[in-house]
Amino acid sequence: MRLRRTSAVVVAVAVVFTGACSASNSSTAGGSAGVLNVGMPNGPQTENNNPFLNSSAASSLGYRRLIFEPLAMVNEIKVTDAPKPWLATKFDWSDNYRKLTLTIRDGVTWSDGKPLTAEDVAFTFELLKKNAGLNIEGVQYGDIAAAGNQVTLGFAKSQFVNQKKILEQFVVPKHVWSAIANPTTETVKNPVGSGPYVLKSFTPQAVTLTVRDSYWQELPKVKEFRYTSFSDNNAQTTALATGAAEWSFVFIPNHQAVYTSKDPKNHKLWFPPVLGVHGLWFNTKSKPWDDPALRRAANMVVNRDDIFTQGEAGYFYPKVDNITGIPTPAGDSFIAPQYKDKKVTVDVEGAKKLLTGAGYSYDGTTLKGKDGQPVAITLTVPSGWSDYVTDLEIIKDNLSKIGVTATVNLQNADSWTKALDTGDFQAAMHWTNNGATLYDIYQSIMDGALYKPLGTGGINGNYGRYENAAATKALDEFANAADETTRTNALHELQRIFVEDMPVIITSAANGGGQYSTKNWVGWPDEQNPYAPAQPTLENALDIVMHLKPAA
């Protein structure tokens, strides 16, 4: 599962947003009226409530999480915690994670009044099995059966690394979706879910949910959710500062000046790291960057402190400086003994020595490749993602210290996405998947099973077109291991390969963060009570809502 990132536009001044929601009515409409205002900086939305599609408005703004419920809640900022039962009261794995038996909760009803049964759960997994366009996570489902209140899922291979993805799967009603001819294109105008909220109204700028009359848990205290899709980060930040939005996930470079200082008592932000990373992905098919020695030298001069303090405003994406690219402290227990204390620090002279020893040369201050040509690289990024833009400007300056000429190419988001999808780039800032283990990080970067030749799109990971049979084998061994020793050995091998080949310069950890206001609602997760990530688009959003109470 990927954590959502937003188009990180620099917030220099407070920009007044003149869209569907204004500070004058929203900031006072909270606790007393039972309303909570959520904002995202995603621009006008098309009416599409299909919960399976990451491109739908329901996914983009996050309100699918309050309509459709998962089998269990997994807290990815505390990955060693047991999953919290939700629609499933029990989940029993057997046969080395090749079989899962789910016990489905009794007494749950859909918003149209019909009961939720094990048949609905089995049908949901059948939908994923039969429709690759819905199965975003790519889990390979085998036998699926329902009997009484239990559902049994069978798999050809161990699902150790996919436990989170499977348990977090939301459930849809069979009596509705069985009548849909093409679920991959269905826009679901009137979504029927088991969650405590139903869709009340939709416009391109604003979506309203209202609480149901009954629910299998105690009804949440928030009676109405108003989701506003602001035009950009400036407008979203202004809405947070004025109280027009009370919950969001947005990059704010100067957050103290434009957000928290406007109401120090109530304006909060919390961005805990998770087991996912961001960094500079190399196209390993692009010469001379197909050479691991050149990539290792580049890694030695990237200033991660500057990227964190300047590019990521000292909070957004936490610094990663272990040579393995593993985020700490979240991933401390996974780091191989030989890399435990091996941090990357800027070492220009060491990088130059590595390069000359590998057959590179210098003409004055210009680095020449093994072919005698100057070494250059184009760094690609969407123009609106200001943190990534700043990160790449820092890396550009860092690379100049070893004689590499770097250019930052600003693209629109669609062009950038297509370039990475087809391999039409030299290097780009990007992120990995995240999960409960390091598998998702390394699989996103190094799995040969995800490899597609240059020019071929439809890729989901391995954007750098990295090929290494040993890495693919270690990933497979980790995923299918029957014991922890085998799994640990495979993980240590992946770290060794990563350090030696450096297909990605990992700079930062992903986060499960968000901004929220305690003026009208209390009970939010924070460092003292980290029961869930704070991002309003993640699976745990409903768990957060169930914790909220009026501040009064």
Side-chain angles (χ1 to χ4, degrees), residues 282 291-300 304 320-326 334-344 354 438 441-442 445-446 466 468 471 490-506:
F282 292 103
D291 183 2
L294 181 57
R295 300 195 298 261
R296 288 200 307 272
N299 183 62
M300 293 170 66
R304 289 159 172 82
V320 174
D321 59 3
N322 187 272
I323 188 67
T324 63
I326 296 173
F334 298 110
I335 299 175
Q338 66 267 37
Y339 301 126
K340 280 288 184 186
D341 300 314
K342 195 162 185 181
K343 296 184 182 298
V344 183
L354 187 158
L438 295 180
I441 292 177
Y442 286 140
I445 296 171
M446 299 192 292
Y466 178 75
N468 185 313
L491 184 56
H492 289 177
E493 171 70 355
L494 287 166
Q495 292 174 53
R496 181 194 66 77
I497 294 169
F498 178 85
V499 170
E500 291 183 1
D501 274 13
M502 203 56 62
V504 173
I505 295 178
I506 294 174

Side-chain angles (χ1 to χ4, degrees), residues 344-372:
V344 183
T345 56
V346 175
D347 183 2
V348 174
E349 292 308 312
K352 288 181 176 180
K353 183 177 180 180
L354 187 158
L355 289 167
T356 54
Y360 294 80
S361 61
Y362 280 93
D363 181 2
T365 59
T366 300
L367 180 67
K368 294 289 190 71
K370 297 174 184 179
D371 59 0

Side-chain angles (χ1 to χ4, degrees), residues 14 83 125 137 145 173 175-176 230 237 264 300 310 362 439 448 465 470 475:
F125 285 111
E137 301 292 356
H175 65 275
V176 174
F230 292 93
T237 300
M300 293 170 66
Q310 299 173 32
Y362 280 93
Y439 176 84
R465 270 66 180 179
L475 284 163

Side-chain angles (χ1 to χ4, degrees), residues 305-328:
D305 289 321
D306 286 349
I307 287 174
F308 177 61
T309 58
Q310 299 173 32
E312 303 304 332
Y315 79 97
F316 196 66
Y317 291 138
K319 179 178 72 171
V320 174
D321 59 3
N322 187 272
I323 188 67
T324 63
I326 296 173
T328 57

Side-chain angles (χ1 to χ4, degrees), residues 375-442:
V375 176
I377 191 168
T378 299
L379 313 174
T380 303
V381 64
S383 58
W385 294 6
S386 67
D387 61 327
Y388 269 13
V389 173
T390 304
D391 293 346
L392 288 186
E393 289 292 345
I394 291 169
I395 292 173
K396 171 185 173 181
D397 180 67
N398 297 158
L399 292 177
S400 71
K401 292 178 169 54
I402 55 171
V404 175
T405 300
T407 303
V408 177
N409 177 34
L410 302 181
Q411 298 180 285
N412 63 49
D414 287 344
S415 298
W416 176 83
T417 300
K418 183 178 180 180
L420 269 77
D421 188 45
T422 59
D424 185 20
F425 72 101
Q426 281 193 302
M429 289 296 292
H430 203 278
W431 57 92
T432 65
N433 288 347
N434 61 288
T437 71
L438 295 180
Y439 176 84
D440 294 88
I441 292 177
Y442 286 140

Side-chain angles (χ1 to χ4, degrees), residues 2-6 40 42 54 60 249 317 535 537-538:
R2 283 191 191 87
L3 291 174
R4 181 173 182 80
R5 67 162 287 125
T6 58
M40 290 294 288
N42 298 350
N54 285 339
S60 174
F249 171 70
Y317 291 138
Q535 191 169 323
T537 61
L538 295 183

